[in-house]
Amino acid sequence: MGVVEEAHNAKILGSGQQVIVLAHGFGTDQSVWKHLVPHLVDEYTVILYDNMGAGTTNPDYFDFSRYSTLEGFAYDLLAILEELHVESCIFVGHSVSGMVGVIASISRPDLFSKIVMLSASPRYLNDVDYYGGFEQEDLDQLFEAMQNNYKAWCSGFAPLAVGGDMDSVAVQEFSRTLFNMRPDIALSVAQTIFHSDMRAILHMVTVPCHILQSMKDLAVPVVASEHLHQNLGGESIVEVMSSDGHLPQLSSPDIVIPVLLKHIRFNIAA
């Protein structure tokens, strides 16, 4: 096993000709794809990995300056693809990983036949003529709460992010993976994500993008998906699902898995 592979807990499942890479978002790890993977392994080669900083990775490998921008995560993705000799993949990125895939695809479009992004946003902060869903004051309060008492913050944030029932399995699962992160690393990653702004590079993307999101998502308003659709340089398509929350593949698999499979299997009609 290669160094990069091992550091990111990369797993290769199935043996199809076409490769699918599944990348998780903030506060989770590759287990967030557990409802999707069984539907893919008979047809595809599936690569799963953990983002550096996830609770399942070695915190000693987390370089605070490298991961102060999303480019650090994009370089990791490209390194994983290189080490695993992937020549082309369908990339499925949840939350921040949707944008990580976009960044990686700009420098190496040959590696991505398409990007399927779930609950992704080009910018979380509101701006003139742009609605991201958050004011700076909201973010300052969020970061302060994370610093003051990380465990208490996790317990409060998990049900808000997942949506639906406080006692649901999905909320418990997200609470677990969120709490597995080292608090200082979680804060650093959250700051990187919430302060990111990818709007200026969207026109450079040439790979087809399938943009999927919940009707109601605390972190990503539907207009953020629309902004992606209008501004991506290549072909794109948006589907807003009747699911609730930021981790719908975990909380509403009955709705979301069929939609994900449809967008993985079918290309945007020319």
Side-chain angles (χ1 to χ4, degrees):
M1 196 184 232
V3 179
V4 182
E5 227 183 310
E6 197 172 354
H8 290 274
N9 306 314
K11 284 190 190 67
I12 304 168
L13 307 168
S15 56
Q17 271 190 309
Q18 198 158 32
V19 175
I20 293 190
V21 176
L22 303 179
H24 68 83
F26 172 71
T28 59
D29 55 42
Q30 59 188 263
S31 65
V32 81
W33 299 112
K34 63 184 181 184
H35 299 300
L36 176 63
V37 172
H39 298 278
L40 298 175
V41 287
D42 292 340
E43 228 175 306
Y44 302 95
T45 293
V46 181
I47 296 174
L48 293 147
Y49 71 93
D50 294 332
N51 286 332
M52 205 47 70
T56 43
T57 60
N58 182 342
D60 295 342
Y61 293 161
F62 188 84
D63 179 332
F64 285 87
S65 68
R66 179 184 174 93
Y67 301 110
S68 63
T69 67
L70 298 188
E71 279 76 7
F73 296 99
Y75 294 140
D76 285 354
L77 167 59
L78 292 172
I80 291 165
L81 297 180
E82 188 177 343
E83 194 166 272
L84 297 177
H85 308 294
V86 174
E87 289 171 10
S88 174
C89 73
I90 293 171
F91 179 80
V92 183
H94 172 236
S95 187
V96 65
S97 283
M99 290 301 104
V100 168
V102 155
I103 296 166
S105 81
I106 292 171
S107 60
R108 290 295 306 276
D110 55 303
L111 292 176
F112 301 89
S113 61
K114 71 169 140 189
I115 294 171
V116 180
M117 47 182 93
L118 176 65
S119 317
S121 173
R123 177 182 163 108
Y124 296 88
L125 268 174
N126 298 333
D127 196 8
V128 181
D129 298 331
Y130 176 82
Y131 182 68
F134 295 87
E135 292 292 346
Q136 186 58 54
E137 195 184 335
D138 303 325
L139 296 185
D140 292 342
Q141 286 172 353
L142 182 129
F143 300 145
E144 195 182 337
M146 288 178 83
Q147 265 175 309
N148 288 344
N149 186 335
Y150 184 65
K151 188 168 189 178
W153 176 79
C154 290
S155 309
F157 182 73
L160 284 176
V162 175
D165 185 10
M166 289 276 289
D167 305 320
S168 74
V169 177
V171 169
Q172 289 169 9
E173 184 67 9
F174 185 46
S175 301
R176 179 186 69 79
T177 55
L178 202 54
F179 191 58
N180 271 345
M181 292 183 81
R182 208 172 76 185
D184 57 332
I185 291 175
L187 176 64
S188 175
V189 174
Q191 287 171 331
T192 296
I193 293 169
F194 280 114
H195 285 139
S196 65
D197 187 352
M198 296 296 121
R199 293 174 300 170
I201 65 164
L202 297 177
H203 72 281
M204 297 159 75
V205 179
T206 54
V207 172
C209 291
H210 299 242
I211 305 155
L212 314 180
Q213 88 154 91
S214 293
M215 203 161 55
K216 197 171 139 215
D217 180 341
L218 157 99
V220 185
V222 173
V223 287
S225 286
E226 201 46 49
H227 183 90
L228 286 170
H229 179 48
Q230 300 293 348
N231 292 280
L232 281 160
E235 290 184 294
S236 66
I237 187 170
V238 177
E239 182 158 351
V240 178
M241 302 172 288
S242 60
S243 51
D244 182 6
H246 192 60
L247 296 93
Q249 74 276 45
L250 201 58
S251 58
S252 310
D254 304 355
I255 296 168
V256 176
I257 302 306
V259 176
L260 275 166
L261 291 171
K262 176 179 77 178
H263 285 274
I264 286 167
R265 289 182 178 135
F266 299 105
N267 295 329
I268 299 168

